[in-house]
């Protein structure tokens, strides 16, 4: 059974649904596309809650009716009633479990797009190759879910893969799915250049940041930026960029550096670099706020700090291990091929369970 205090919170959310229904028909809101989209997403999310609450209201009378029937002298009717009671009890537990999800704090960033950065760490050429494997894994995962992906910048490794690659992934709920991917990823395998068959350990870091919509982007003071232009590096031949179209932007207060050289247009490279920089700065502020919250609630799935080793990909054993939740799967090829759900769903469920536990403790 849900405590009355939690049910009351849910009814408050249902009132918010009715308020949103009215707002979405307001001509001023309709004209403001940014607010209209935000309200529409919130309305769609709460619609499921309203349906669950309507089902909850019917349980009491249906259970009372089944209980009365179970007292009948007719043994067959009584048995049917007992079956009905068991089914109603199971359904009610499922409805309550679904309703609890709406009590969790909703992060608006969960609905939005992300900037995904993958960088080679320790391990030289093998680390760069592994960084390339990770970026392909995420792009394939995005493709299977119908998300849009765009590589914003890449610095190829000398023998394959990337020293650094940055992509934007757009779609519904991208950040909610990928936010637990931030951290240090480790690979254990025999490199193709290894003649003795020894297993090497290399690493790459992943950062997943909410993409900042243009309408919400922070205004960067030009005096805090150093913008350098240089000639793009490339494979040579007809693809060599003959002009200084590549852009390097340094944010002087923080020392953050962003390079973009994939476009032939200096203007496009600058716009991309500024977009990545804005997302990095917003993410820095976001992490600071989360660190303050973590002082009172430690997340079971880790802090998301990029220095934290979160996952190991072991090729000899075909094994993937997520160290935050002690999850081990022997599905390496499947996961690197883009099927990340076996890893992502347990992480999300663990995070939700931890938040619900904290919520229950607050209600005591």
């Amino acid at each position: 059974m849900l405590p009355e205090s939690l049910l009351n919170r849910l009814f408050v959310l249902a009132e918010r649904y009715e308020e949103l229904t009215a707002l979405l028909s307001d001509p001023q809101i309709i004209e403001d596309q940014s607010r209209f989209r935000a309200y529409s997403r919130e309305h769609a999310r709460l619609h499921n809650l309203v349906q669950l609450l309507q089902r909850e209201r019917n349980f009491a009378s249906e259970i009372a009716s089944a209980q009365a029937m179970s007292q009948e002298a007719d043994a067959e009717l009584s048995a049917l009633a007992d079956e009905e009671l068991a089914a109603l009890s199971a359904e009610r537990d499922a409805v309550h479990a679904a309703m609890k999800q709406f009590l969790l704090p909703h992060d608006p960033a969960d609905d939005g797009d992300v900037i995904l950065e993958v960088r080679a760490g320790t391990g030289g050429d093998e680390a760069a190759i592994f960084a390339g494997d990770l970026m392909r894994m995420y792009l394939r995962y995005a493709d299977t879910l119908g998300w849009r992906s765009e590589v914003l910048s890449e610095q190829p490794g000398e023998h394959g893969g990337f020293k650094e690659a940055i992509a934007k992934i757009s779609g519904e709920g991208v950040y909610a799915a990928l936010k637990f991917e931030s951290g240090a990823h480790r690979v254990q395998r025999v490199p193709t250049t290894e003649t003795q068959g020894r297993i090497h350990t290399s690493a790459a870091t992943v950062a997943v940041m909410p993409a900042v919509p243009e309408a919400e982007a922070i205004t960067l003071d030009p005096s805090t930026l150093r913008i350098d232009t240089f000639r793009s590096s490339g494979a040579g031949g007809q693809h060599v960029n003959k002009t200084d179209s590549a852009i390097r932007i340094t944010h002087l207060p923080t020392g953050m550096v962003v390079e973009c050289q994939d476009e032939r247009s200096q203007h496009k490279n600058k716009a991309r670099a500024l977009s990545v920089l804005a997302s990095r700065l917003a993410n820095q502020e976001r992490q600071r706020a989360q660190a303050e919250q973590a002082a009172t609630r430690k997340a079971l799935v880790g802090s998301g700090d990029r220095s934290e080793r979160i996952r190991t990909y072991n090729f000899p054993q075909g094994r993937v291990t997520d160290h935050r939740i002690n999850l081990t799967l022997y599905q390496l090829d499947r996961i690197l091929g883009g099927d990340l759900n076996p890893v992502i769903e347990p992480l999300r469920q663990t995070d939700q369970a931890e938040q619900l536990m904290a919520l229950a403790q607050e209600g005591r």
Side-chain angles (χ1 to χ4, degrees):
M1 291 289 293
L2 276 175
E4 187 175 348
S5 60
L6 295 185
L7 271 175
N8 288 336
R9 290 193 196 185
L10 292 169
F11 285 122
V12 169
L13 290 174
E15 291 174 2
R16 171 62 176 168
Y17 175 81
E18 298 301 329
E19 179 186 357
L20 287 166
T21 302
L23 285 170
L24 288 171
S25 62
D26 186 326
Q28 290 185 334
I29 300 298
I30 295 172
E31 290 179 6
D32 186 340
Q33 284 299 299
S34 177
R35 290 175 69 191
F36 184 80
R37 283 193 296 270
Y39 287 159
S40 295
R41 285 194 294 267
E42 186 181 359
H43 186 268
R45 188 173 65 88
L46 292 178
H47 176 72
N48 293 331
L49 172 62
V50 170
Q51 290 184 318
L52 290 169
L53 285 171
Q54 289 173 345
R55 184 71 190 104
E56 165 65 21
R57 290 188 182 97
N58 295 330
F59 277 127
S61 61
E62 291 180 19
I63 288 174
S65 176
Q67 286 174 335
M69 187 183 297
S70 69
Q71 305 302 317
E72 292 285 343
D74 188 309
E76 188 174 348
L77 278 178
S78 181
L80 287 173
D82 289 340
E83 290 179 10
E84 178 70 10
L85 280 170
L88 284 169
S89 178
E91 184 186 0
R92 192 173 197 180
D93 287 344
V95 167
H96 286 176
M99 287 165 63
K100 286 179 181 178
Q101 305 305 314
F102 290 91
L103 295 169
L104 301 177
H106 179 64
D107 186 348
D110 281 352
D111 301 323
D113 307 337
V114 305
I115 299 294
L116 172 71
E117 300 184 355
V118 180
R119 290 186 179 82
T122 55
D125 293 336
E126 178 64 14
I129 293 170
F130 178 50
D133 293 340
L134 290 178
M135 180 57 81
R136 279 190 295 275
M137 175 182 75
Y138 291 123
L139 294 180
R140 287 170 179 168
Y141 178 62
D143 187 54
T144 62
L145 294 177
W147 294 340
R148 300 177 304 280
S149 57
E150 176 187 13
V151 176
L152 302 180
S153 175
E154 56 185 39
Q155 296 180 28
E158 293 180 9
H159 297 282
F162 302 108
K163 295 178 182 177
E164 175 187 276
I166 304 174
K168 181 177 182 181
I169 301 179
S170 306
E172 192 68 31
V174 178
Y175 184 70
L178 293 178
K179 62 183 176 183
F180 297 122
E181 293 301 298
S182 291
H185 296 239
R186 185 176 68 173
V187 64
Q188 295 171 327
R189 63 183 169 190
V190 179
T192 55
T193 55
E194 171 57 56
T195 58
Q196 303 298 318
R198 292 173 298 186
I199 297 172
H200 288 222
T201 298
S202 306
T205 57
V206 174
V208 178
M209 302 170 292
V212 179
E214 290 185 18
E216 301 172 18
I218 59 175
T219 301
L220 296 171
D221 183 350
S223 66
T224 65
L225 305 176
R226 185 175 74 240
I227 301 178
D228 302 307
T229 60
F230 58 99
R231 185 162 297 177
S232 298
S233 59
Q238 63 179 338
H239 299 296
V240 169
N241 199 321
K242 302 296 185 182
T243 62
D244 292 344
S245 62
I247 291 289
R248 180 186 299 110
I249 299 180
T250 304
H251 186 245
L252 300 174
T254 61
M256 286 186 187
V257 179
V258 180
E259 291 185 4
C260 276
Q261 55 177 305
D262 289 6
E263 294 287 345
R264 293 178 179 271
S265 162
Q266 186 181 109
H267 176 74
K268 288 183 179 179
N269 280 326
K270 182 179 178 182
R272 283 183 166 188
L274 286 171
S275 173
V276 172
L277 179 59
S279 291
R280 284 188 187 174
L281 290 170
N283 191 57
Q284 185 182 64
E285 178 60 32
R286 178 186 182 83
Q287 287 182 333
R288 180 161 55 244
Q290 287 176 340
E292 293 175 359
Q293 295 173 1
T296 56
R297 183 180 68 85
K298 177 176 174 59
L300 291 180
V301 295
S303 65
D305 190 313
R306 285 193 293 174
S307 65
E308 178 187 6
R309 186 192 69 179
I310 65 167
R311 194 175 298 149
T312 295
Y313 305 75
N314 184 293
F315 274 70
Q317 299 177 17
R319 167 175 60 83
V320 175
T321 298
D322 196 289
H323 304 286
R324 295 163 294 180
I325 55 175
N326 297 320
L327 173 71
T328 295
L329 300 168
Y330 290 89
Q331 302 174 21
L332 178 67
D333 291 342
R334 174 182 171 185
I335 290 167
L336 282 176
D339 186 358
L340 275 170
N341 284 332
V343 178
I344 286 176
E345 284 308 312
L347 286 166
R348 295 174 72 168
Q349 290 168 10
T350 300
D351 180 59
Q352 290 176 353
E354 194 276 340
Q355 290 187 63
L356 286 170
M357 187 183 301
L359 192 65
Q361 290 174 346
E362 289 174 9
R364 288 178 181 175

